[in-house]
Amino acid sequence: MEFKAKEIAEILKGSVEGDPEARISTFARIESGKPGAICFFANPKYEHYVYECEASVIIVNNDFAPQRPVKATMIRVPNAYAAVASLLEYVTAQKRSYKRYRGCNIKRFLSTKIGRKVYIGSGCYLGRNASIGDYSRIYEQVYVGDDVKIGKKCIIYPGVKIYPGMEIGDNVIIHANAVIGADGFGFAPLPDGTYRKIEHTGNVIIEDDVEIGANTTIDKSQMGSTIIHKGVKIDNLCQIAHNVEIGENTVMAAQTGVAGSAKIGKHCIIGGQVGLSGHITIADNTTLAAQTGVISSIKTEGQVFLGSPALPHKQFLRAYAVFRRNGKE
């Protein structure tokens, strides 16, 4: 798709500084911008690229004051980073074409309820009493079990498996090969040293505006529900165990593992390869740096933790200084 600078400014409610007829047909990072591309500048450490960049259009903050001439047309907005997110969303929406059944070889039942303008790719299975909301897109080779509820404007990418009885809200994105609702890891040890499987009878509830990365697994609860609250963003290759609850607008990076019945608060930031023990509680607004191992509850809000076992930021730095000093002796 091709846009003029003035059209982009109108979409973003920004102002043009330069040629309003400048045309763009692709996006690029500011360090690799080429003619016909649009970039954005928000981080001061990349300012030198603004003057060197060959892109046709650059989105900048309203308060940006160039120190040298800028060759590209600039579009000024209150928040360049947020503006690019809005523009990408707009362009993606323009590219989508909603067709009810574009694919073939779809297995569905008379009791399956499909909303208006739903896309369903070939090779999908839609179970009994399953429902899919208006404008949702179910891509190829997706399994939707019996009694699954999928809301409006969802995107379910190829290969996703959604077990029976799971509930998914509106505007949810689930990337390829994620598994929603497998049994939790529950086994009872027996006197002879073997293990007996504990059946899981609950489900997974995913609320509105959640995004789940590729190959992530979210297990259903033993009883009750595993709950992913509104606005949560989960990266690729994460494991969410049974009966876990993740609070609103928490973000979680790749390869994080959360053990059963842990409860994570709202607005938490969880780095890559973090591990959380089961049956613990994490307070709201907690930050866990990459590879942090949390073995006990965090009850005070707004703290930053590092290390394994996890320590508050300042305490970790003092401990690390001791480790380094002792290591040199």
Side-chain angles (χ1 to χ4, degrees):
M1 300 182 71
E2 187 175 84
F3 295 90
K4 295 179 181 179
K6 63 182 181 182
E7 294 171 338
I8 296 170
E10 184 176 344
I11 293 166
L12 300 178
K13 297 180 172 55
S15 59
V16 177
E17 190 172 309
D19 180 9
E21 299 294 322
R23 296 176 180 270
I24 68 100
S25 58
T26 187
F27 291 83
R29 298 174 64 177
I30 195 167
E31 57 265 42
S32 56
K34 302 294 182 184
I38 184 169
C39 305
F40 80 100
F41 165 63
N43 190 328
K45 73 178 185 179
Y46 294 112
E47 182 174 346
H48 64 283
Y49 288 117
V50 175
Y51 313 116
E52 302 166 3
C53 186
E54 296 294 330
S56 299
V57 176
I58 300 177
I59 299 172
V60 301
N61 292 331
N62 282 333
D63 59 0
F64 172 58
Q67 303 301 308
R68 293 157 48 191
V70 178
K71 292 180 287 185
T73 293
M74 292 189 292
I75 296 177
R76 293 186 177 273
V77 294
N79 184 320
Y81 194 80
V84 168
S86 297
L87 185 60
L88 287 166
E89 183 177 348
Y90 176 85
V91 171
T92 301
Q94 293 299 306
K95 288 181 178 179
R96 289 178 182 152
S97 170
Y98 291 99
K99 298 181 180 179
R100 190 173 177 86
Y101 299 113
R102 186 176 175 183
C104 58
N105 301 320
I106 298 164
K107 176 66 174 178
R108 65 182 290 255
F109 298 86
L110 293 175
S111 58
T112 306
K113 298 176 182 178
I114 300 174
R116 296 182 299 114
K117 296 186 178 180
V118 170
Y119 170 94
I120 300 175
S122 67
C124 289
Y125 176 94
L126 308 179
R128 293 179 175 84
N129 299 311
S131 63
I132 301 171
D134 298 344
Y135 303 102
S136 287
R137 298 174 67 80
I138 311 298
Y139 283 96
E140 289 66 25
Q141 302 293 326
V142 169
Y143 171 86
V144 177
D146 296 348
D147 301 304
V148 167
K149 296 178 181 178
I150 298 175
K152 299 176 181 178
K153 298 182 179 180
C154 293
I155 302 174
I156 313 297
Y157 281 104
V160 170
K161 304 296 184 286
I162 304 175
Y163 280 52
M166 305 303 115
E167 298 181 19
I168 296 171
D170 298 336
N171 302 304
V172 171
I173 300 172
I174 304 178
H175 288 277
N177 299 316
V179 178
I180 311 299
D183 283 355
F185 189 72
F187 299 89
L190 301 179
D192 63 358
T194 61
Y195 291 86
R196 181 176 182 178
K197 179 177 176 63
I198 299 173
E199 294 297 333
H200 286 65
T201 61
N203 72 345
V204 174
I205 296 175
I206 298 173
E207 295 185 351
D208 299 346
D209 304 313
V210 170
E211 183 159 355
I212 297 167
N215 293 298
T216 282
T217 58
I218 302 178
D219 294 343
K220 67 182 177 183
S221 57
Q222 185 176 335
M223 293 175 283
S225 299
T226 300
I227 304 175
I228 313 299
H229 284 290
K230 183 176 180 179
V232 168
K233 313 299 181 189
I234 301 175
D235 199 358
N236 303 331
L237 294 166
C238 291
Q239 155 64 10
I240 312 299
H242 56 197
N243 294 95
V244 167
E245 184 173 353
I246 302 179
E248 292 182 8
N249 299 309
T250 283
V251 294
M252 179 181 297
Q255 298 184 348
T256 287
V258 184
S261 299
K263 296 188 182 300
I264 300 172
K266 302 176 183 178
H267 303 283
C268 294
I269 299 173
I270 300 175
Q273 296 186 330
V274 167
L276 289 90
S277 294
H279 301 274
I280 64 173
T281 300
I282 306 298
D284 296 346
N285 299 295
T286 297
T287 297
L288 303 176
Q291 297 189 329
T292 297
V294 186
I295 61 174
S296 58
S297 293
I298 296 172
K299 299 179 180 180
T300 303
E301 295 184 15
Q303 296 187 92
V304 178
F305 284 79
L306 298 87
S308 184
L311 293 172
H313 179 234
K314 291 183 178 179
Q315 185 177 347
F316 176 86
L317 293 179
R318 290 195 295 269
Y320 183 65
V322 174
F323 299 154
R324 292 191 62 186
R325 184 168 60 250
N326 289 345
K328 293 177 182 178
E329 293 177 355

